[in-house]
Amino acid sequence: MAERTEAEKLGEVLKPRERTFVREYLVDLCGTKAAVRAGYSEKSAASQASRLLRKPEVRAYRDALLQEQFDAIGVTKHSIAAEVWKLYERCTQQRPVRIWDSQKHEYVFAGLWEFDVKGALKALDMLRQMLPEMGKDEGGGAGPSLEDMVMGGGGREF
């Protein structure tokens, strides 16, 4: 007999409808819709979803199912951080500001450059929030350094 997964073990402490709610919640991350699909009444679905999502055992089951999904497609904390860094780099690339020249009937360079400040700051904030978790590797080790992770081991200096 195959060994049970962490999610299966955590799911045993939940009622069948609670397990169904969690699986439905992971479809679209909408608690109210998930509660209705799990069999709760439409009138009480929002409050039931809120109540269920506050229960530690429901959250643990949800997290275990998510982890299984991430493992199946190869998503790790480090791969997410690397993608956030790529987003940051895209947001900080300068783009020329162009204005319409009515005499030439075309857009011309205005002598200014712009970049996505809000996107860059959001990406940096996401990385900052991820940093405490980055040292916690699933294998018990420290994992790659932040520099290796962010730069892809490429050896580029700031």
Side-chain angles (χ1 to χ4, degrees), residues 77-90:
K77 296 171 193 169
H78 296 93
S79 67
I80 292 171
E83 291 302 315
V84 171
W85 183 256
K86 287 179 190 176
L87 177 63
Y88 168 78
E89 287 181 323
R90 272 185 247 131

Side-chain angles (χ1 to χ4, degrees), residues 95-114:
R95 294 177 302 276
V97 175
R98 299 190 182 275
I99 57 172
W100 181 254
D101 185 326
S102 58
Q103 292 176 347
K104 294 182 180 180
H105 297 287
E106 65 180 329
Y107 284 97
V108 297
F109 178 57
L112 301 171
W113 296 86
E114 66 183 357

